[in-house]
Amino acid sequence: MPQELPPKYTPKEVEEKWFDFWAKTPLFHSRPRPDKKPYTIVIPPPNVTGILHMGHALNNTIQDVLIRAKRMQGFEALWMPGTDHAGIATQNVVERKIAKDGLKRQDLGRDEFLKTVWQWKEEHGSTIIHQLKRMGASCDWARERFTMDAGYSSAVVEVFVSLYEKKLIYRGDYIINWCPRCQTALSDEEAPHRDLDGKLYYIKYPLKKSREHIVVATTRPETMLGDTAVAVNPKDKRYKHLIGETLILPLMEREIKIIADDLVDKKFGTGCVKVTPAHDPNDYAMGKSHNLDFVNIMHPDAVLNANAGEYAGMDRFEAREAIIEDLKERSLLLKVEEHRHAVGHCYRCHTIIEPYLSKQWFVKMKPLSKPALEAVKKGEIKFTPKRWIKVYLNWMENIRDWCISRQIWWGHRLPVWYCEECSKSTQPDAGVIVSRTTPERCPQCGSSDLKQDSDVLDTWFSSWLWPFATFGWPAAKSKSELDYFYPTSTLVTAPEIIFFWVARMIMAGFEFMGKKPFSDVYIHGTVRDEEGKKMSKSLGNSIDPLEIIEQYGADALRFSLIAIAASGSDIYLSQERFEQGRNFSNKIWNASRFILTNLREDVTGDGIDRESLKVQDEWILSSFNEAVRKVTKAIDLFKLNEAVNLIYEFFWHQFCDWYVEIAKHSIAEKNTQEVLVRVLKDTLLLLHPFMPFITDEISSKLPGEKIETIACSAWPKPKKEFDHKAAFATMDLVFKSVFVLRNFRKDLNLGPQDLVSIKMATTAQNKSAIEAVSSTMSNLAFAKISVSTDKTVAPNCLSALIAKDVHLYLLLEGLVDIQKEKERLDKEIAAMGSQLKQKKNMLENKDFVKKAPEAVVNRERQRVDELKDSMKRLKEVRRALK
């Protein structure tokens, strides 16, 4: 028996009800089932520091749509949840927390500080998980993983040791990206470049044996204190005679040589460059090839050290200013030019990074990249949109070794120990012990004086194992699950982590599993504001998804995001966008309530009498079949916005605007009710992956077989017995006729209560088909309709060609005062003409078009088109009046 819905839809009540129900039942738990094909998604693990933002909302809604649809389509669908320990980010959060008590992590010591971090994680680390659940995310929550849980940590150790044993991990002194604020090394991907307005300083370097000098151009004059050479290009004729000469380094009075190297760009500055091997990656390479000294002038916090002479103790930028002043005093600063250049910044705290000479651990990436390159080239792994393939291949073909050590405390500590005795040897890496377990003694000398490396691994070193480590790899007990669910099916992610995460997961998958980690990579766009700026708290242009959920509901949020998220394109959001989702929710609720309110007790939606179907019934059932085909295909192609808009168009316009309105006139008939319920039930199934809360709530009230939730119901399939192609042409005639009649009413200033007389003229062949739907047209247009084969045109009538051989005539005699109507139309046409002229003049004004907001200009252009269209119709009506 059907149940009634409350008059008003209250998202909060409905969503809390279903959130609680889904949480208490193992609906979304998956296990290996030989009779079912798996479909697996691993969540991009949000940081434990994370709070839900619009990027998360978009990313996880996409994943939930896919996993819910596949679950309903009969797959053993698993969405693996979890969080990332987020080394630098989490440590920064906790350091700020203890700083309020006047403490630094060094005051607590490593062990006590890590206890504090773990305590913070237990208290706050699940915040974003609860928020994802509130959005309706149907993950297998019993499987939730954390990148530093015990089992996962063992996988990290196994990978490090394995790669070390294969000589793919090594330690060495290299120039790395160094964040003075976080005081840790960063990979190239963690130090994105931003264009800054800087300066190019031209400095004189005196020759030792003469009063001459050469001029060096630099953007970082503070590093000159560590110069050990000046380089020129060997092909630069200007300086060929000076190669091998000695210079006196300004301010430091140290002798340095002029060297020749092909790395020097003859066109940059003067063609002479300072060489600071300890503070620049190119200079490092020159230092190695020319056997130069490496002079480090900075402490890890970017304060200058004793090697900087009298500038020791100054911050790098403070030292820059002091050095420039001293060079001016000595007449060694030739000139300063404005110079825009790209500068690396820490991806977490946005501090300008410092190229810094440091002993770090690295992964050799070239050997790992080969199978990952081939898999994408051969189409074994597909990217959507395809344009990202080129980006991926370009990065992989030019891949550099990955610096994986970080000088922080929170994270996976390197499984590396040093024997104090053996370390006294001059042999490279003497005393280095890499082990899966904590060693008690040195395997070389037997000493127990061992010290573990204090560094931790880059956060991404653990997350690149996510697709298989989450299933218990390398432990044997999870092999059956791993074999069943791996490789996973689809990865949904943002473009900014293609290099950080996607590429590395592909490499790890082939290296440790011998298989690709996933088949499809769907790259969604970036969430921006209306002006195209990326949403961020710092810019103050972000919209809080939790506030949207509170105001409009989770379903409204989900629908609105997906509806405008064209495949891979950025989305432009405003608060008003979510009103569409709210309005659609209300439309679904109100239409469902109308149907439920009018149902007979014996209606289930399964009792359609096919022999008694009317044209409109055949049309709506056929239209639903078409919607199912198109929506299913769109989801398979990751065109989710197309899919949800197809459902929206079908439900709002075809079902509600037309069929439900038509059905109101035969609502007492059982077959009409059966069709209404059948279409509503199946549309809710189709919509469920996008709007799970409201669809589950309404479905639970519908008559028929009772199920706990439609989350596990079968996905709708087209029913061939309901394909009625002829119904489309007939109903199209109805829609066009009603549309024309409604326009006529508007043009004649008629109210809905004014009954009009219509003559429809057609061929004998079409007459019976039109007569069959004439009552439907009469009801929708409040018109008295006669159908005839007589095409004689009566005086004073409005006419329209509806279809081939189908004319519609609206008889005006007795409906309106012809003379008064002529006068009214003349005035209205004149007024519109005046308004149109005004709008055109405005748009021809270049200052207006240039200064007015784009939205305003577009609105005015749209209004011009509307006025032209209205004037055209009114003139046609005026001509018809004799």
Side-chain angles (χ1 to χ4, degrees):
M1 185 174 175
Q3 303 173 48
E4 287 193 11
L5 292 173
K8 185 180 179 183
Y9 176 51
T10 311
K12 192 170 184 179
E13 289 180 15
V14 169
E15 289 171 5
E16 283 179 358
K17 168 187 169 181
W18 288 99
F19 169 85
D20 290 341
F21 173 75
W22 294 334
K24 291 172 184 174
T25 53
L27 286 169
F28 309 134
H29 180 64
S30 299
R31 58 184 176 83
R33 297 175 191 263
D35 59 323
K36 295 177 77 174
K37 187 177 179 182
Y39 182 87
T40 315
I41 295 178
V42 290
I43 197 171
N47 293 347
V48 286
T49 57
I51 300 293
L52 192 74
H53 57 63
M54 278 300 172
H56 291 131
L58 173 63
N59 177 268
N60 287 282
T61 299
I62 291 169
Q63 292 176 84
D64 197 42
V65 168
L66 293 173
I67 210 75
R68 284 180 182 270
K70 295 299 179 182
R71 188 181 290 124
M72 294 172 75
Q73 288 169 13
F75 289 83
E76 186 64 13
L78 166 60
W79 186 10
M80 174 69 77
T83 51
D84 193 291
H85 66 278
I88 296 174
T90 305
Q91 179 158 313
N92 283 347
V93 167
V94 178
E95 285 193 90
R96 284 196 295 270
K97 180 178 180 289
I98 63 173
K100 292 177 182 177
D101 299 323
L103 295 171
K104 294 182 178 179
R105 62 184 164 108
Q106 291 83 356
D107 298 328
L108 296 179
R110 186 173 191 134
D111 290 345
E112 196 60 36
F113 177 75
L114 289 178
K115 281 183 186 177
T116 305
V117 181
W118 276 108
Q119 184 180 353
W120 181 93
K121 186 263 177 188
E122 293 306 313
E123 291 174 4
H124 305 284
S126 297
T127 299
I128 195 164
I129 293 297
H130 293 309
Q131 291 167 345
L132 290 175
K133 288 179 179 179
R134 194 175 172 194
M135 273 189 62
S138 62
C139 295
D140 187 345
W141 294 110
R143 294 179 179 273
E144 186 182 336
R145 298 302 303 268
F146 176 53
T147 51
M148 279 181 63
D149 65 37
Y152 203 100
S153 295
S154 68
V156 173
V157 171
E158 176 60 33
V159 165
F160 185 96
V161 177
S162 174
L163 291 175
Y164 182 80
E165 289 171 346
K166 294 177 181 179
K167 302 191 183 307
L168 292 174
I169 282 184
Y170 64 94
R171 184 175 68 141
D173 289 306
Y174 289 91
I175 288 283
I176 45 88
N177 302 300
W178 182 264
C179 175
R181 156 64 182 80
C182 299
Q183 291 200 29
T184 185
L186 301 170
S187 67
D188 291 339
E189 293 73 35
E190 293 170 320
H193 283 71
R194 278 193 254 154
D195 285 341
L196 296 181
D197 290 321
K199 290 181 168 58
L200 193 58
Y201 302 90
Y202 289 80
I203 304 168
K204 298 176 183 177
Y205 280 54
L207 285 156
K208 180 183 178 182
K209 294 182 179 179
S210 73
R211 293 186 177 182
E212 294 180 43
H213 61 264
I214 62 171
V215 177
V216 168
T218 181
T219 58
R220 298 161 64 217
E222 66 277 10
T223 62
M224 68 181 289
L225 307 177
D227 286 358
T228 53
V230 167
V232 297
N233 192 293
K235 296 174 184 176
D236 195 332
K237 295 177 181 178
R238 294 173 294 174
Y239 305 114
K240 207 160 191 178
H241 67 290
L242 293 175
I243 296 171
E245 293 291 329
T246 301
L247 296 166
I248 302 299
L249 178 63
L251 306 181
M252 299 303 287
E253 305 304 320
R254 188 166 65 238
E255 293 185 5
I256 59 176
K257 292 285 187 181
I258 299 175
I259 61 172
D261 199 289
D262 290 323
L263 283 174
V264 178
D265 180 359
K266 292 188 289 182
K267 295 178 182 178
F268 177 77
T270 62
C272 299
V273 297
K274 56 192 283 307
V275 182
T276 320
H279 292 279
D280 183 273
N282 289 331
D283 295 2
Y284 173 86
M286 282 193 269
K288 284 289 186 182
S289 60
H290 294 274
N291 199 27
L292 301 175
D293 291 334
F294 286 68
V295 180
N296 184 351
I297 62 162
M298 289 186 196
H299 292 299
D301 60 358
V303 171
L304 273 57
N305 62 27
N307 290 333
E310 63 184 86
Y311 304 99
M314 293 184 184
D315 171 77
R316 55 181 167 164
F317 299 124
E318 179 190 354
R320 179 181 295 181
E321 298 303 319
I323 287 167
I324 293 305
E325 287 303 313
D326 290 345
L327 288 171
K328 284 179 183 176
E329 284 182 16
R330 292 167 172 75
S331 299
L332 293 174
L333 186 64
L334 181 66
K335 62 177 178 176
V336 180
E337 292 179 347
E338 296 299 319
H339 181 67
R340 191 163 179 80
H341 59 144
V343 180
H345 288 71
C346 174
Y347 79 117
R348 277 294 170 198
C349 68
H350 310 299
T351 300
I352 292 176
I353 62 102
E354 192 65 38
Y356 195 69
L357 182 64
S358 177
K359 193 179 287 292
Q360 301 289 341
W361 288 86
F362 297 84
V363 178
K364 290 180 181 177
M365 301 302 282
K366 273 290 181 188
L368 297 175
S369 69
K370 291 175 182 176
L373 261 170
E374 288 304 307
V376 174
K377 283 181 178 178
K378 292 176 180 177
E380 190 179 344
I381 296 174
K382 296 179 177 66
F383 278 72
T384 302
K386 290 182 179 179
R387 67 176 182 271
W388 291 109
I389 294 174
K390 185 177 180 181
V391 176
Y392 170 88
L393 294 178
N394 181 60
W395 185 76
M396 292 291 281
E397 285 164 355
N398 297 283
I399 199 164
R400 296 169 63 179
D401 286 356
W402 175 16
C403 177
I404 56 170
S405 45
R406 298 289 180 271
Q407 290 65 50
I408 58 175
W409 289 351
W410 174 246
H412 296 98
R413 196 164 177 179
L414 270 67
V416 177
W417 288 260
Y418 303 101
C419 171
E420 295 297 313
E421 285 298 318
C422 294
S423 296
K424 296 172 184 176
S425 168
T426 57
Q427 294 295 318
D429 283 341
V432 175
I433 305 163
V434 175
S435 175
R436 290 174 176 82
T437 56
T438 303
E440 294 181 4
R441 295 186 175 277
C442 173
Q444 299 298 319
C445 71
S447 171
S448 59
D449 190 5
L450 308 180
K451 184 179 179 182
Q452 188 173 2
D453 196 309
S454 61
D455 287 357
V456 301
L457 288 160
D458 176 13
T459 296
W460 299 101
F461 191 87
S462 52
S463 53
W464 75 324
L465 316 177
W466 193 248
F468 53 89
T470 48
F471 289 102
W473 183 92
K477 64 179 181 180
S478 298
K479 279 285 169 63
S480 61
E481 288 208 338
L482 185 59
D483 291 342
Y484 183 76
F485 289 113
Y486 185 94
T488 67
S489 307
T490 303
L491 179 77
V492 180
T493 189
E496 55 264 28
I497 56 174
I498 290 176
F499 312 134
F500 280 123
W501 195 46
V502 180
R504 289 170 180 163
M505 279 194 292
I506 296 173
M507 288 185 270
F510 282 108
E511 176 66 20
F512 300 105
M513 297 297 297
K515 299 176 184 177
K516 62 184 179 182
F518 29 72
S519 299
D520 286 287
V521 180
Y522 177 71
I523 308 288
H524 59 74
T526 300
V527 180
R528 301 184 181 278
D529 65 15
E530 280 187 301
E531 296 177 0
K533 295 175 184 173
K534 185 175 179 179
M535 282 194 173
S536 71
K537 284 185 180 179
S538 60
L539 290 175
N541 65 346
S542 59
I543 299 173
D544 186 348
L546 296 172
E547 289 181 5
I548 298 299
I549 291 173
E550 195 67 31
Q551 188 174 358
Y552 299 124
D555 281 335
L557 171 78
R558 291 166 63 112
F559 172 86
S560 301
L561 284 173
I562 295 296
I564 59 173
S567 183
S569 298
D570 290 351
I571 69 171
Y572 299 86
L573 272 184
S574 65
Q575 191 88 7
E576 292 69 35
R577 287 279 189 184
F578 298 100
E579 292 177 7
Q580 184 189 19
R582 177 204 61 191
N583 294 344
F584 189 38
S585 297
N586 289 336
K587 186 74 172 179
I588 297 164
W589 188 265
N590 293 335
S592 302
R593 185 171 181 271
F594 167 77
I595 294 168
L596 283 166
T597 303
N598 287 281
L599 284 189
R600 296 162 39 154
E601 289 188 11
D602 59 342
V603 171
T604 64
D606 298 318
I608 295 174
D609 180 0
R610 289 168 55 195
E611 299 302 318
S612 302
L613 290 175
K614 299 172 185 175
V615 175
Q616 59 263 33
D617 302 326
E618 293 175 340
W619 166 76
I620 196 64
L621 291 167
S622 297
S623 296
F624 180 76
N625 274 353
E626 283 301 296
V628 171
R629 292 184 183 103
K630 290 177 179 177
V631 169
T632 305
K633 184 179 179 181
I635 291 174
D636 289 343
L637 295 173
F638 302 108
K639 295 180 179 179
L640 303 187
N641 70 308
E642 187 177 306
V644 82
N645 283 314
L646 283 165
I647 301 170
Y648 175 90
E649 174 67 26
F650 170 78
F651 188 85
W652 192 304
H653 298 298
Q654 293 174 277
F655 185 58
C656 293
D657 285 357
W658 290 111
Y659 185 74
V660 173
E661 289 303 310
I662 295 170
K664 286 178 180 178
H665 299 279
S666 58
I667 195 68
E669 296 176 14
K670 183 176 185 294
N671 218 37
T672 297
Q673 293 189 14
E674 291 286 359
V675 173
L676 281 167
V677 173
R678 180 74 271 146
V679 174
L680 177 59
K681 273 187 175 181
D682 287 350
T683 305
L684 291 174
L685 290 175
L686 209 59
L687 186 59
H688 179 75
F690 301 92
M691 303 176 77
F693 294 99
I694 192 171
T695 52
D696 241 343
E697 177 66 10
I698 295 171
S699 295
S700 71
K701 307 292 185 184
L702 292 176
E705 182 187 355
K706 289 298 174 186
I707 54 172
E708 287 186 316
T709 169
I710 58 172
C712 300
S713 295
W715 184 254
K717 291 181 179 178
K719 296 178 176 63
K720 289 185 179 181
E721 64 269 26
F722 291 148
D723 277 331
H724 301 281
K725 290 186 179 179
F728 285 105
T730 305
M731 289 305 293
D732 191 50
L733 192 88
V734 172
F735 305 144
K736 285 179 179 177
S737 300
V738 172
F739 178 75
V740 166
L741 285 170
R742 285 173 178 173
N743 274 339
F744 282 167
R745 281 182 173 279
K746 180 181 176 184
D747 295 340
L748 292 168
N749 222 12
L750 297 173
Q753 75 284 354
D754 296 317
L755 181 67
V756 297
S757 295
I758 303 296
K759 173 184 174 182
M760 296 193 75
T762 187
T763 61
Q765 186 179 1
N766 292 337
K767 187 171 182 288
S768 60
I770 296 174
E771 284 178 331
V773 292
S774 62
S775 62
T776 297
M777 286 189 282
S778 295
N779 292 331
L780 291 171
F782 196 55
K784 182 180 178 182
I785 298 175
S786 63
V787 185
S788 171
T789 56
D790 178 12
K791 295 185 180 179
T792 304
V793 180
N796 290 324
C797 72
L798 299 179
S799 65
L801 179 66
I802 302 300
K804 185 181 179 183
D805 295 326
V806 181
H807 289 78
L808 181 149
Y809 302 100
L810 171 62
L811 308 179
L812 298 176
E813 204 66 51
L815 183 65
V816 295
D817 184 315
I818 302 297
Q819 186 57 41
K820 284 184 179 179
E821 194 60 26
K822 286 179 184 179
E823 292 170 4
R824 183 187 72 80
L825 287 170
D826 288 339
K827 286 180 182 178
E828 201 163 329
I829 290 167
M832 278 190 182
S834 176
Q835 193 178 356
L836 183 60
K837 184 178 179 182
Q838 182 186 359
K839 298 286 183 188
K840 281 183 173 179
N841 289 339
M842 184 190 298
L843 290 169
E844 286 169 3
N845 183 333
K846 292 180 180 177
D847 284 340
F848 169 75
V849 174
K850 185 177 180 181
K851 294 177 181 177
E854 187 180 355
V856 172
V857 175
N858 289 338
R859 192 160 56 241
E860 293 299 330
R861 285 176 176 152
Q862 185 180 350
R863 181 62 183 143
V864 165
D865 292 339
E866 289 170 356
L867 285 168
K868 285 180 180 178
D869 185 56
S870 296
M871 277 186 70
K872 181 183 176 183
R873 285 206 328 270
L874 290 181
K875 285 179 178 178
E876 288 173 356
V877 173
R878 178 64 182 84
R879 280 193 294 269
L881 300 178
K882 305 300 182 185

